[in-house]
Amino acid sequence: MSGYLDVMVYRLAYRMALADGEMSANEATVLDVLAKSFGFDEATREQLAEEAERIDYDNLRRVFPEREQQLTLFETACLLAMADGRSDMDEWQLANRLTAALKVDRNEAAECLQRARSRLKEMAGQHDLSAEIQENLKKQGAFVPGVKPGA
């Protein structure tokens, strides 16, 4: 990803993590994985967290004109929405706002959700994510390494 896209992905992920008013351990872990993959130090993480409330959703398509960039933003929001194992009205509202701002159609949304599920499954296997994430994946019918289906 590009530098500014990485920044916006993290800001949007942080915003989605707090959409329901609290940061779960699962969401914090996913944010940590993202930050490390982008090479963000603690000071950068703190700055981006402070900026997360000030995202200009109406301007996202202009700032990120490539469709792949826009769908990366939406996919990351989906990833964080799934990370805590709960579906909250505030998360749905933020996802709907992002869908409208990026003009994500039904097929694109379905593809982004599937990729987000796959990423979450991969993270669960690589980073020993909490049982809450694994339970969420089981609810969605996704395989979790080390967990027998239906267990």
Side-chain angles (χ1 to χ4, degrees), residues 50-64:
E50 290 174 15
E51 295 172 359
E53 287 290 329
R54 297 186 305 268
I55 295 172
D56 182 357
Y57 296 92
D58 296 329
N59 205 22
L60 287 175
R61 290 184 68 220
R62 186 186 65 73
V63 176
F64 301 103

Side-chain angles (χ1 to χ4, degrees), residues 12-113:
L12 187 58
Y14 193 91
R15 177 67 190 99
M16 182 59 87
L18 287 179
D20 61 4
E22 61 183 314
M23 173 82 64
S24 74
N26 301 343
E27 291 164 332
T29 299
V30 173
L31 285 170
D32 187 54
V33 169
L34 286 175
K36 287 178 180 174
S37 74
F38 298 149
F40 294 160
D41 60 21
E42 190 60 35
T44 300
R45 292 181 200 194
E46 289 174 12
Q47 177 185 352
L48 296 177
E50 290 174 15
E51 295 172 359
E53 287 290 329
R54 297 186 305 268
I55 295 172
D56 182 357
Y57 296 92
D58 296 329
N59 205 22
L60 287 175
R61 290 184 68 220
R62 186 186 65 73
V63 176
F64 301 103
E66 295 177 27
R67 194 63 178 156
E68 183 178 331
Q69 295 172 324
Q70 296 167 9
L71 295 177
T72 295
L73 294 171
F74 184 73
E75 178 186 327
T76 302
C78 294
L79 173 67
L80 267 293
M82 290 187 278
D84 66 1
R86 296 187 311 263
S87 181
D88 184 84
M89 183 58 77
D90 293 321
E91 290 173 340
W92 280 106
Q93 288 174 343
L94 183 55
N96 285 335
R97 183 177 185 187
L98 191 58
T99 300
L102 297 174
K103 299 187 185 312
V104 176
D105 68 31
R106 180 181 215 105
N107 290 334
E108 290 171 325
E111 290 172 15
C112 287
L113 283 167

